[in-house]
Amino acid sequence: MSYKFNPFTGKLDKDTTAAAGGITDGDKGDITVSASGATWTIDNDTIGLDELSATGTPSSTTYLRGDNTWATVAGGGGATPAGVSGSIQINDGAGALGAVTNFKWDSVNTELDVPGDISLDDGGTYTTTIQSITATADRTISFPDATGTVALVAGSSGQVTYNNAGAQAGGNLSYDATAGTFGYGTGRGTVTQATNKSTGVTLNAPCGAITMNGAALNADTTVSFTLTNTSIAATDLLVLNHVSGGTAGAYVLNAQAAAGSASINVRNITAGSLSEAIVIGFAIIKG
């Protein structure tokens, strides 16, 4: 009986025409089969003669990889490349399959264990990197930046970390887990007004306390002074409170922000003159 290779089914078909070039039971050397311009060669040195029988066990298996190159592995009968239990088999493009032992499927915990960072590329402009996290104290995972990269940055306990024009920075805004409060932490300052109530003060902090001069402020009268503060922008808001000193409820406070400063207005709303060194607490709200 004579056989021929069918390139469409990948099987050996009976050659009813007994045409020259068919595969016969008596072939002992390399077998070359051609169809539609393509040629396949079964190498007798690679695939033993007994592989054509139902009971044979080949000494090696040759297969075509995805990069259109051939690879040979020991064993036969559907044997897979040697590897470590649970590891992932990776074609490294160098002509061989290799077992990557630290990239594996953990069947016990039903998870895929991946070493190092993972980069997700859209095939064009943008890449998102998911970084592995080291179990170190005071670490913060930030939101992705404009390129899609998620940065792992150092931080301080309780500190809020934010993206400032592409750079991660910890500001004075913090969360106090003990008190359960959220607000300004370090950076609070104090300053005392000299000379009189219209004398300007300088305090470069996001929040603080201003002790006003004890000069007299007439009834139903407003006095203004300038707070110079590099934390203030023209679009910001200042929250002002009469926190201590003097007569409670006797004053109305207001402020107008400018670049690097604010004009603070204090009005005596009582019917008499007051000579009190009141303390004004303030906090900047970024606009």
Side-chain angles (χ1 to χ4, degrees):
M1 177 61 69
S2 178
Y3 301 88
K4 62 182 178 180
F5 181 75
N6 186 334
F8 301 103
T9 65
K11 300 179 179 179
L12 296 176
D13 296 337
K14 289 182 179 180
D15 186 0
T16 57
T17 64
I23 303 174
T24 64
D25 295 339
D27 286 330
K28 297 298 188 291
D30 295 349
I31 302 172
T32 300
V33 186
S34 299
S36 303
T39 300
W40 294 267
T41 298
I42 302 176
D43 188 347
N44 186 45
D45 294 334
T46 301
I47 301 180
L49 294 176
D50 53 4
E51 291 179 42
L52 298 178
S53 68
T55 59
T57 301
S59 58
S60 61
T61 300
T62 301
Y63 57 93
L64 184 65
R65 296 192 300 257
D67 60 358
N68 204 32
T69 59
W70 292 89
T72 301
V73 295
T80 57
V84 178
S85 177
S87 67
I88 306 297
Q89 298 286 345
I90 299 294
N91 185 341
D92 60 7
L97 288 178
V100 181
T101 58
N102 55 0
F103 177 39
K104 63 183 180 181
W105 172 252
D106 184 345
S107 59
V108 176
N109 297 310
T110 316
E111 63 185 23
L112 183 65
D113 295 335
V114 181
D117 301 343
I118 299 176
S119 292
L120 305 177
D121 193 333
D122 69 347
T125 305
Y126 302 106
T127 299
T128 296
T129 300
I130 303 175
Q131 294 185 325
S132 60
I133 303 174
T134 302
T136 303
D138 300 336
R139 303 292 282 179
T140 303
I141 299 177
S142 71
F143 292 102
D145 61 16
T147 66
T149 300
V150 179
L152 186 65
V153 297
S156 297
S157 179
Q159 186 182 75
V160 176
T161 301
Y162 58 90
N163 190 323
N164 181 16
Q168 301 300 324
N172 294 319
L173 195 60
S174 64
Y175 176 72
D176 187 335
T178 302
T181 58
F182 183 72
Y184 289 104
T186 59
R188 183 180 186 278
T190 60
V191 66
T192 299
Q193 188 179 45
T195 311
N196 54 52
K197 281 185 164 59
S198 61
T199 302
V201 297
T202 299
L203 178 56
N204 295 315
C207 62
I210 303 168
T211 301
M212 295 193 69
N213 186 270
L217 179 59
N218 293 331
D220 199 24
T221 301
T222 300
V223 65
S224 298
F225 67 93
T226 299
L227 166 64
T228 300
N229 189 324
T230 55
S231 299
I232 301 174
T235 55
D236 293 344
L237 298 176
L238 265 69
V239 176
L240 303 173
N241 289 112
H242 175 194
V243 295
S244 64
T247 305
Y251 301 92
V252 172
L253 309 175
N254 191 33
Q256 293 85 39
S261 67
S263 176
I264 296 178
N265 311 308
V266 180
R267 184 175 185 83
N268 175 3
I269 59 173
T270 68
S273 177
L274 296 173
S275 299
E276 300 175 330
I278 65 172
V279 179
I280 299 173
F282 75 91
I284 302 169
I285 299 177
K286 304 305 291 184

